[in-house]
Amino acid sequence: MKYILKDEYIELYKLLKVLDLVDSGAEAKMVIADGHVRRNGDVELRKRAKIIRGDVIEVAEVTIEVL
Protein backbone atom coordinates (compact mmCIF):
# COMPACT_ATOMS: atom_id res chain seq x y z
CA MET A 1 0.00 0.00 0.00
CA LYS A 2 1.26 3.48 -0.80
CA TYR A 3 0.43 6.70 1.03
CA ILE A 4 1.18 10.06 -0.59
CA LEU A 5 2.18 12.55 2.07
CA LYS A 6 0.51 15.93 1.62
CA ASP A 7 2.46 17.77 4.34
CA GLU A 8 6.01 17.56 5.69
CA TYR A 9 5.04 14.67 7.98
CA ILE A 10 2.13 12.80 9.54
CA GLU A 11 1.99 11.44 13.08
CA LEU A 12 2.05 7.65 13.19
CA TYR A 13 -1.29 7.14 14.94
CA LYS A 14 -2.98 9.51 12.46
CA LEU A 15 -1.54 7.56 9.52
CA LEU A 16 -3.05 4.31 10.81
CA LYS A 17 -6.41 6.03 11.27
CA VAL A 18 -6.39 7.78 7.85
CA LEU A 19 -5.70 4.47 6.12
CA ASP A 20 -8.57 2.76 8.02
CA LEU A 21 -6.24 0.20 9.59
CA VAL A 22 -7.92 0.96 12.94
CA ASP A 23 -11.34 2.24 13.94
CA SER A 24 -10.18 5.10 16.16
CA GLY A 25 -7.21 7.12 17.29
CA ALA A 26 -7.38 5.36 20.66
CA GLU A 27 -7.14 1.97 18.96
CA ALA A 28 -4.19 3.21 16.86
CA LYS A 29 -2.38 4.35 20.00
CA MET A 30 -3.00 0.97 21.65
CA VAL A 31 -1.69 -0.98 18.61
CA ILE A 32 1.45 1.16 18.61
CA ALA A 33 1.99 0.91 22.39
CA ASP A 34 1.65 -2.88 22.21
CA GLY A 35 4.58 -3.02 19.75
CA HIS A 36 2.66 -4.12 16.65
CA VAL A 37 4.04 -1.38 14.37
CA ARG A 38 7.42 -1.37 12.66
CA ARG A 39 9.02 1.67 11.07
CA ASN A 40 11.84 0.99 8.64
CA GLY A 41 12.27 -2.46 10.17
CA ASP A 42 12.34 -1.38 13.84
CA VAL A 43 9.50 -1.50 16.36
CA GLU A 44 8.09 2.01 16.78
CA LEU A 45 6.48 2.76 20.15
CA ARG A 46 6.07 6.52 19.78
CA LYS A 47 2.43 7.27 18.96
CA ARG A 48 3.25 10.71 17.61
CA ALA A 49 6.38 9.70 15.68
CA LYS A 50 6.75 11.97 12.65
CA ILE A 51 6.41 9.80 9.57
CA ILE A 52 8.14 11.31 6.55
CA ARG A 53 8.58 10.48 2.87
CA GLY A 54 10.64 7.34 2.39
CA ASP A 55 9.48 5.65 5.60
CA VAL A 56 8.11 2.11 5.42
CA ILE A 57 5.52 1.21 8.04
CA GLU A 58 4.44 -2.36 8.77
CA VAL A 59 1.28 -3.25 10.70
CA ALA A 60 0.30 -6.94 10.77
CA GLU A 61 0.49 -8.05 7.12
CA VAL A 62 0.13 -4.51 5.73
CA THR A 63 3.18 -2.62 4.45
CA ILE A 64 2.81 1.10 3.82
CA GLU A 65 5.26 3.04 1.67
CA VAL A 66 5.15 6.77 2.39
CA LEU A 67 5.69 8.84 -0.74
Side-chain angles (χ1 to χ4, degrees):
M1 169 184 295
K2 296 182 190 291
Y3 176 75
I4 298 173
L5 195 59
K6 296 175 181 77
D7 295 311
E8 189 176 324
Y9 67 88
I10 186 170
E11 293 174 340
L12 180 56
Y13 84 97
K14 291 180 182 178
L15 177 65
L16 301 184
K17 192 173 170 206
V18 165
L19 294 175
D20 288 328
L21 297 176
V22 293
D23 293 327
S24 68
E27 184 181 349
K29 290 176 181 179
M30 194 166 56
V31 167
I32 296 164
D34 288 346
H36 298 293
V37 179
R38 296 178 79 80
R39 176 185 186 186
N40 301 326
D42 297 321
V43 173
E44 180 60 77
L45 298 173
R46 296 173 297 155
K47 300 164 191 76
R48 294 185 177 268
K50 294 178 179 178
I51 305 305
I52 59 173
R53 286 178 184 83
D55 281 343
V56 176
I57 308 300
E58 299 170 63
V59 184
E61 299 97 32
V62 178
T63 300
I64 306 156
E65 294 177 56
V66 182
L67 306 174

